């Protein structure tokens, strides 16, 4: 039985029961049988927030409330347990359906470059490379922007603009992946191919990252799309975290004569850094698993090349692109194993991020008042 | 400043110049970044509106897809299919999510088990949608040996659960305890208190959460790729492959035909409008539903 929530009431109600030790306490009132209120009955026996008075005990025992209460509690617990069950079930079906591939390739699966459905030789390394590079590149573009926008909205923005701008950035999060992909194909890819590509090649071609031929559909296009998509996540959570920093931290730094930037750097960013890192990791988790928009603009060609204008492939996009066409159990099984790997990686990444964000918000909640 | 000794004043002045330059620089960077972020947003929405509105016609809502070469055609079956899939997903996901949320807020506040459930829900929230699709495939499609709308609904329902759970919990937490105490004080059993008092008081917020979850999965394509699979014809049989709007947009966008591109843009606009309407409703609900006089 859980502890009563309303403490003062329960304390009051408990005392008489504890003060009458001579009457042997019946641990639980049998359902529907108790007609006379029993003064010594254990106060916790009745499902209720507050420990009940004797009269209420009596009334509740008369009614069928206890059966209903028990059933209701059971159903709610069941719902909560379902969440665990879902995670376990996902792991179970993914593992059982990828047995074939796990047995055939073992750990080499993640270190082999070949992806040859015809001869049945599978390795996930090019996809891991594609996922990691596109996600990190997206973070590189999105994080500075997201932090700058958070700072702008929190401390610089005039009050009139704050609502509309934050609403607009929230809208970015509401646009479905497939619409980003559509926009990517018909707007972003041509821009990268015809306008941005030549410029990047001219000035940064020497680095080896931006080399012609550039068909637009590329690792770079995927990173840009990803950056736009993860921006709202990082921005809104880092804003929450920065807002959670107690005001007196800001005031203290300002009182020392700091400028606004120094106040933000010393008073806010430093205090919120774990939470900001958490929001960045959360964005990373989103980027790692993003499927449709990436599949539409990345070019879907396995290979590990330094050139960002070359087409690539990610873990998620290979599943989306090849699963329905996959022939043969081993092929399917290899794709499901990729899904399993993606699942486990995102779970770990998200768990770390959540812990970091929680740590900051909880730590600052205490000091905020 | 004038109260300071001359030397300090000098130092202060010297430092202040550099510091104020940095300060203004950072301010400028922040403003430029915000503008930079708003550009793609406005570009996406504007272009979508322009392309979508010019491609949209009545046939889009009344006709099914036609083979390429034949003019016209629409996505009526995809809109209906989406509605069917989403309806079933909501039926499965929302009660489950609300139940788990009620458990977290009313029964497990402050317990380690509640914290574990909460944490699992948060982590589940971040699982990629394609993995949900794969799981539904392995769980249902592989067993039945055919694609089905049901599998798609299950995948979407699983994605809805964590969002609904967490908002329900947060909204129930805003219900003041005296309200509960008053109900219990009248001798109302706990389950009635939860249903008629706590849930009812928090209902605007909970509806908000459900609609957010709905809006989030309404645009999902990845979980439907190998569950609902898509269908060129009318079908309401959730045990068979069924068309869905995001799926249709995806297929049409990747096709080489201009006519299909046009339909993809129109579909994207319809999808966005659907989602925006629900998000806006959410805002209205959220503003109206904020519990007044809670203290």
């Amino acid at each position: 039985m859980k502890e009563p929530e309303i403490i003062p009431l329960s304390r009051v109600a408990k005392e008489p029961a504890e003060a009458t030790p001579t009457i042997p306490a019946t641990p639980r009132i049998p359902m529907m049988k108790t007609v006379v209120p029993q003064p010594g009955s254990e106060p916790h026996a009745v499902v209720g927030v507050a420990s009940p008075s004797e009269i209420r005990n009596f009334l509740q025992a008369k009614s069928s409330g206890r059966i209903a209460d028990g059933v209701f509690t059971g159903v709610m617990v069941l719902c909560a347990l379902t969440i665990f069950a879902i995670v376990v079930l996902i792991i179970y079906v993914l593992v059982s359906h990828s047995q074939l591939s796990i047995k055939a390739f073992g750990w080499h699966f993640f270190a082999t470059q070949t992806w040859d459905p015809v001869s049945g030789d599978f390795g996930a390394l090019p996809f891991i490379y594609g996922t990691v590079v596109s996600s990190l590149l997206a973070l590189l573009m999105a994080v500075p922007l997201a932090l700058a926008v958070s700072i702008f909205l929190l401390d610089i923005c005039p009050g009139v603009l704050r609502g509309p701008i934050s609403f607009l950035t929230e809208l970015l999060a509401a646009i479905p992946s497939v619409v980003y992909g559509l926009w990517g194909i018909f707007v972003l890819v041509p821009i990268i191919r015809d306008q941005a590509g030549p410029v990047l090649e001219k000035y940064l071609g020497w680095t080896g990252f931006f080399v012609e031929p550039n068909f637009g559909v590329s690792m770079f296009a995927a990173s840009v799309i990803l950056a736009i998509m993860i921006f709202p996540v990082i921005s809104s959570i880092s804003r929450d975290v920065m807002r959670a920093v107690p005001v007196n931290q800001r005031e203290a730094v300002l009182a020392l004569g700091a400028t606004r930037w120094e106040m933000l750097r010393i008073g806010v960013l430093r205090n919120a850094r774990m939470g900001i890192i958490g929001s960045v990791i959360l964005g990373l988790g989103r980027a790692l698993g993003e499927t449709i928009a990436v599949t539409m603009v990345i070019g879907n060609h396995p290979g590990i090349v330094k050139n960002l204008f070359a087409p690539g492939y990610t873990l998620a996009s290979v599943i989306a692109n090849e699963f329905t066409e996959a022939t043969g159990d081993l092929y399917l099984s290899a794709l499901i194993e990729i899904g399993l790997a993606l699942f486990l990686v995102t779970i770990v990444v998200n768990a770390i991020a959540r812990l970091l964000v929680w740590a900051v918000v909880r730590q600052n909640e205490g000091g905020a008042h | 400043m004038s109260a300071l000794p001359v030397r300090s004043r000098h130092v202060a002045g010297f430092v202040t110049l550099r510091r104020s330059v940095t300060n203004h620089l950072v301010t400028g960077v922040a403003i430029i970044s915000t503008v930079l972020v708003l550009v793609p947003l406005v570009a996406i929405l504007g272009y979508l509106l322009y392309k979508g509105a010019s491609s949209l016609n009545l046939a889009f809502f009344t006709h099914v897809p036609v083979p390429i070469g034949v003019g016209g055609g629409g996505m009526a079956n995809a809109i209906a299919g989406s509605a069917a899939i989403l309806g079933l997903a909501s039926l499965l996901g929302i009660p489950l999510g609300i139940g788990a949320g009620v458990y977290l807020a009313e029964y497990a506040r402050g317990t380690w088990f509640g914290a574990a459930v909460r944490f699992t829900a948060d982590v589940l929230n971040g699982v990629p949608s394609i993995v949900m699709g794969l799981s539904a495939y392995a769980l249902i499609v592989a067993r039945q040996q055919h694609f089905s709308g049901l599998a798609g609904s299950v995948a979407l329902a699983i994605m809805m659960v964590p969002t609904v759970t967490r908002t329900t919990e947060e909204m129930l937490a805003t219900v003041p305890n005296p309200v509960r105490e008053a109900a219990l004080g009248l001798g109302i059993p706990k389950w009635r208190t939860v249903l008629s008092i706590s849930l009812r008081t928090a209902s605007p917020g909970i509806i908000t959460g459900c609609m957010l979850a709905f809006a989030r999965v309404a645009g999902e394509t990845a979980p439907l790729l190998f569950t609902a699979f898509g269908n060129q014809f009318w079908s309401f049989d959730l045990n068979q492959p069924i068309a869905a709007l995001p799926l249709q947009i995806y297929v049409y966008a990747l096709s080489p035909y201009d006519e299909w591109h046009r339909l993809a843009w129109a579909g994207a606009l319809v999808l966005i409008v659907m989602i925006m309407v629900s998000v806006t409703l959410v805002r209205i609900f959220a503003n109206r539903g904020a519990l007044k006089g809670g203290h």
Side-chain angles (χ1 to χ4, degrees), chain A residues 2 6 68-69 257 261-262, chain B residues 19 23 107 120 181 191 283:
Chain A
K2 69 181 259 316
I6 302 152
D69 262 350
W261 163 239
E262 285 160 343
Chain B
R19 285 165 55 197
N23 186 33
Y107 293 91
T120 313
E181 284 169 28
W191 68 276
R283 287 227 141 198

Side-chain angles (χ1 to χ4, degrees), chain A residues 15 40 150 159 211 265 347:
Chain A
E15 270 157 8
S150 306
V211 184
R265 188 165 55 88
I347 279 216

Side-chain angles (χ1 to χ4, degrees), chain B residues 38-293:
Chain B
L38 291 178
V39 166
L41 173 74
V42 173
I44 291 175
L45 289 179
Y47 197 73
L48 181 72
L49 224 64
Y50 159 70
K51 287 290 273 189
S54 61
S55 331
L56 208 57
N57 52 23
L58 193 65
F60 183 88
F61 296 100
T62 55
H63 285 61
V64 299
V66 292
I68 191 65
V70 185
M75 292 192 185
N77 62 335
I79 296 173
S82 264
I85 294 175
L86 287 169
L88 183 60
S90 306
L91 273 182
L92 293 173
I94 288 178
L96 203 62
I98 290 183
V102 166
Y103 175 74
L104 287 181
E106 302 278 330
Y107 293 91
R109 209 179 284 176
T111 62
W112 67 266
F113 183 72
V117 173
R118 194 172 299 125
F119 187 70
T120 313
D122 277 348
V123 169
L124 194 64
N125 207 6
V127 171
S129 55
I130 186 101
V131 173
M132 298 301 186
L134 270 185
S135 310
Y137 171 88
L139 205 62
I140 298 171
V141 178
R143 211 157 285 175
Q144 286 191 322
Q145 294 295 322
H146 62 81
F147 296 109
S148 69
L150 174 73
S153 292
V154 169
L156 295 185
I158 295 177
M159 296 185 65
M160 290 177 88
V161 169
T163 318
V164 176
T165 301
R166 295 292 276 125
T167 18
T168 304
E169 189 208 349
E170 274 161 27
M171 289 307 138
L172 284 177
T174 64
V175 176
N177 257 337
V179 176
R180 286 193 192 93
E181 284 169 28
L184 290 168
L186 292 172
I188 299 171
K190 170 119 181 173
W191 68 276
R192 282 296 304 265
T193 312
V194 171
L195 280 182
S196 321
I197 310 295
S198 302
L199 275 178
R200 195 139 169 221
T201 316
S203 62
I206 293 172
I207 292 169
T208 304
C210 295
M211 291 184 75
L212 272 181
F214 181 87
R216 193 186 145 206
V217 300
E220 281 291 349
T221 317
L224 302 179
L225 278 173
F226 21 84
T227 51
F229 193 68
N231 192 335
Q232 295 292 312
F233 307 102
W234 277 107
S235 168
F236 285 106
D237 188 355
L238 279 170
N239 205 20
Q240 293 297 324
I242 193 169
L245 197 51
L247 217 50
Q248 200 81 344
I249 298 170
Y250 176 65
V251 172
Y252 276 14
L254 291 179
S255 75
Y257 312 113
D258 281 344
E259 177 64 14
W260 282 11
H261 293 164
R262 187 185 68 79
L263 284 173
W265 280 109
L269 181 63
V270 171
L271 190 62
I272 282 272
V273 167
M274 264 171 53
I275 292 171
M276 293 298 163
V277 165
S278 39
V279 171
T280 317
L281 283 181
V282 159
R283 287 227 141 198
I284 296 169
F285 261 118
N287 287 343
R288 245 196 15 204
L291 201 64
K292 304 277 169 17

Side-chain angles (χ1 to χ4, degrees), chain A residues 27 41 67 77 91 116 154 226 242 247 258 277 284 363:
Chain A
S41 63
I67 302 177
V77 172
I91 294 176
D116 189 354
L154 271 184
L226 276 179
M242 286 186 206
V247 179
I277 293 171
L284 177 68
Q363 174 196 324

